[in-house]
Amino acid sequence: MPSSSPIILNVNDDLASRYVTSRVLSLAGFQVLEAGTGGETLALADEHTDLVILDVRLPDLSGLEVCRRLKSSPRTRNALVLHLSAQAVGAAERAQGLAHGADAYLVAPVDPEELVAQVHALLRLRRAEREVRVLSDQVQQQRRLLDLAMSAAADPIALYDGDGMLIFANHAVAASRGSHHVHVPGRNMDALRTLDPQLEPYALSLEAARRTGQVQRGRVTLSSDQGPRHFEYTMSPAAGPSGAVEAVIATGRDITEVRNAEDFREQFLGILGHDLRNPLNALSMSAQQLQRQGEMTQRQKVFTERILISAERMDRMIRQLLDFARARLGAGLPVVRSRCDLFDVVRGAVDESSASHPHREVRLELLGDGRGDWDADRLEQVVGNLVSNALKFSPPDTPVRVVAEATAKEALLRVHNLGVPIPEDQLPHLFAAWRRAGRSEREQGVSAGLGLGLYITEQIVRAHGGTVQVTSTEAKGTTFTVRLPRG
């Protein structure tokens, strides 16, 4: 059993010298064991021995050989060895002793205080070495667990150094690509993109993460043994003390099934919207024909008007479905530019909205010259969607304000309404598909749409090279701002 005090093995074949040394160490609080030969030393020393004070010249084995054996044995290799000799005192002998593994060398006779101080110094060294070993073992264990966890992770994980060299890629990276797998540690990103050009957008994101130190996110489609696979990835750079990026960890997620489901839904919606138009047109034309024929009772007129209003609303929904399908399945909504006056477009959309809401006030202000190259029909959708949205979500006794302003470089459209603001946490997602304005208090009693109006609005504006933004507060109300570069 190990003692609470350090265990020292004092080895000397001279009884008097051994007694003096043991006495000094015992008085200093150490637990001392004694041996007179090399054989006894090797028999007594074990894993609990902290220090061996070893004479160089012993009757059976050389102290140098004993030291070598102690240091080479798994049981005693961590024990410190202090050579203490009154005979082997030359510089060459001291150097030889240290070369055979001794940790220190003293020439006898030695002052007791110096001996105790030297022993304390060596034991401090041993404690430090033990602490280092414990910490090293802990680090190695943590590293092993980290490597194991990263290797076993279900999602792809890759680690790059500051120069873009691949340091680590887990099993999921290889499994996701099969025979197309090129992520082999030791390759830099240039080599990877050369081997697999499909990695180009991924490589550009890695370069941006290294250059800016900011997290990069994106999507990439890659070939695999199972066909095309779609991945979302996040690249998180780690900066060192100097601020330079020293590592980038990339994590991925296979979204192939989700993407395929989205594509199917969008194709289905496009087909459905197209096929619904024929029976809807027949329904609408029949109702219009009934109106033109006259000779209907008042009740019949009310029903016919309801049919036309519902058909118009269904037509708007179908147009939105078709626009959505075009935007998601193609390269955005197509625009056909021609010379037109944006102010005429805005005025026409506002007049139509006012006619549909005769009890509401829509204020229109036009500033500058609105002539330019735009798709008038598409921009009429933008204005109509924004004004309709403002009327729908504002108190009935408040006006909606529309301002169109043209400068030399761009045209601006602002649509403002008062009322309950859009929750701040919903603002970043307002232009996503299938989301309505999200103002629950304002939606009470309001007929719900498909949630595509603002999505389509942004797609049309982007197709013109412009932007659309929104601000919404309790004090100032809600304002949608569209900026269009002059075509």
Side-chain angles (χ1 to χ4, degrees):
M1 293 293 293
S3 170
S4 58
S5 61
I7 299 176
I8 298 177
L9 178 57
N10 182 19
V11 183
N12 197 320
D13 63 332
D14 184 81
L15 292 175
S17 297
R18 190 169 72 210
Y19 172 79
V20 171
T21 302
S22 297
R23 181 65 176 169
V24 169
L25 295 174
S26 297
L27 291 174
F30 298 111
Q31 181 180 357
V32 183
L33 302 178
E34 295 184 353
T37 65
E40 291 178 1
T41 304
L42 296 175
L44 287 173
D46 59 20
E47 62 272 16
H48 304 305
T49 304
D50 294 289
L51 173 65
V52 178
I53 298 179
L54 182 61
D55 191 2
V56 174
R57 296 182 177 176
L58 297 172
D60 55 343
L61 291 172
S62 165
L64 301 179
E65 175 62 18
V66 174
C67 178
R68 187 190 66 78
R69 293 189 187 184
L70 289 173
K71 292 295 186 179
S72 62
S73 170
R75 293 181 64 231
T76 56
R77 62 186 176 189
N78 293 322
L80 297 169
V81 175
L82 168 61
H83 278 311
L84 180 60
S85 178
Q87 298 176 355
V89 297
E93 292 172 306
R94 293 198 300 272
Q96 188 180 20
L98 294 173
H100 278 71
D103 299 283
Y105 202 109
L106 290 178
V107 176
V110 62
D111 183 82
E113 291 185 359
E114 181 184 356
L115 175 62
V116 172
Q118 183 69 55
V119 169
H120 277 299
L122 289 172
L123 292 176
R124 284 196 300 270
L125 174 62
R126 188 171 194 271
R127 285 194 297 272
E129 289 177 343
R130 282 176 173 172
E131 292 174 358
V132 168
R133 282 197 300 273
V134 170
L135 290 175
S136 177
D137 290 343
Q138 291 175 348
V139 169
Q140 291 298 323
Q141 175 68 359
Q142 292 171 358
R143 175 64 184 272
R144 188 186 68 81
L145 292 176
L146 179 60
D147 288 345
L148 182 63
M150 292 179 64
S151 297
D155 292 328
I157 299 176
L159 178 65
Y160 305 86
D161 65 13
D163 295 324
M165 182 77 71
L166 180 63
I167 304 301
F168 170 85
N170 71 345
H171 298 310
V173 173
S176 65
R177 304 295 308 281
S179 60
H180 299 268
H181 170 57
V182 298
H183 266 69
V184 176
R187 292 175 177 171
N188 60 29
M189 202 64 236
D190 290 336
L192 293 175
R193 74 209 304 182
T194 299
L195 292 169
D196 189 351
Q198 293 178 324
L199 288 171
E200 183 64 23
Y202 180 89
L204 293 175
S205 294
L206 177 60
E207 290 175 358
R210 291 167 51 209
R211 184 179 66 255
T212 65
Q214 296 179 348
V215 174
Q216 304 292 318
R217 292 181 173 86
R219 289 188 176 190
V220 65
T221 300
L222 303 172
S223 59
S224 74
D225 294 338
Q226 293 80 36
R229 309 294 295 178
H230 306 285
F231 295 91
E232 283 183 346
Y233 60 81
T234 301
M235 295 188 176
S236 305
S242 65
V245 173
E246 295 186 1
V248 178
I249 186 168
T251 56
R253 185 169 70 93
D254 191 332
I255 58 169
T256 303
E257 293 185 6
V258 175
R259 177 71 177 273
N260 290 341
E262 289 177 353
D263 289 347
F264 174 79
R265 182 181 66 179
E266 289 155 14
Q267 291 173 4
F268 172 77
L269 290 176
I271 295 171
L272 178 65
H274 182 272
D275 291 348
L276 282 177
R277 285 199 126 168
N278 290 334
L280 181 61
N281 287 338
L283 178 66
S284 182
M285 291 176 61
S286 298
Q288 291 174 4
Q289 187 68 26
L290 287 174
Q291 278 189 331
R292 284 194 292 269
Q293 286 181 356
E295 299 179 357
M296 291 189 297
T297 65
Q298 183 62 34
R299 185 176 179 84
Q300 290 172 331
K301 290 180 180 180
V302 171
F303 288 158
T304 304
E305 185 65 26
R306 285 182 182 176
I307 291 173
L308 289 173
I309 292 174
S310 297
E312 182 181 354
R313 181 165 176 263
M314 289 177 64
D315 185 60
R316 286 198 303 270
M317 289 183 176
I318 291 172
R319 288 201 305 269
Q320 286 186 344
L321 287 174
L322 292 175
D323 286 341
F324 171 76
R326 293 189 190 102
R328 295 294 285 263
L329 299 177
L333 285 178
V335 296
V336 180
R337 295 178 182 268
S338 61
R339 197 68 180 172
C340 64
D341 191 328
L342 178 62
F343 291 171
D344 290 341
V345 174
V346 174
R347 188 183 295 109
V350 169
D351 288 345
E352 183 177 342
S353 296
S354 297
S356 301
H357 301 79
H359 303 296
R360 295 297 303 274
E361 179 184 4
V362 182
R363 298 176 183 174
L364 175 61
E365 183 178 356
L366 304 174
L367 303 171
D369 183 357
R371 288 174 294 182
D373 292 327
W374 291 296
D375 188 326
D377 292 335
R378 287 298 188 187
L379 291 183
E380 186 175 4
Q381 279 184 266
V382 170
V383 181
N385 284 343
L386 295 180
V387 174
S388 175
N389 198 61
L391 288 169
K392 185 185 299 183
F393 294 112
S394 60
D397 58 345
T398 61
V400 170
R401 187 164 178 260
V402 180
V403 178
E405 179 181 358
T407 66
K409 295 183 178 180
E410 65 178 0
L412 281 79
L413 172 69
R414 297 185 183 90
V415 180
H416 171 267
N417 66 272
L418 296 172
V420 178
I422 303 170
E424 185 175 354
D425 62 338
Q426 297 188 21
L427 288 175
H429 314 290
L430 201 59
F431 297 99
W434 311 113
R435 297 181 69 95
R436 296 188 292 277
R439 291 161 280 186
S440 56
E441 294 181 28
R442 303 173 64 173
E443 289 181 333
Q444 295 176 5
V446 177
S447 58
L450 293 174
L452 293 173
L454 292 179
Y455 170 80
I456 293 172
T457 294
E458 184 186 43
Q459 293 297 313
I460 294 173
V461 172
R462 288 176 59 184
H464 281 82
T467 61
V468 57
Q469 297 174 320
V470 61
T471 59
S472 188
T473 64
E474 184 76 38
K476 296 183 178 181
T478 300
T479 301
F480 285 84
T481 301
V482 175
R483 295 179 179 273
L484 297 170
R486 281 191 174 276

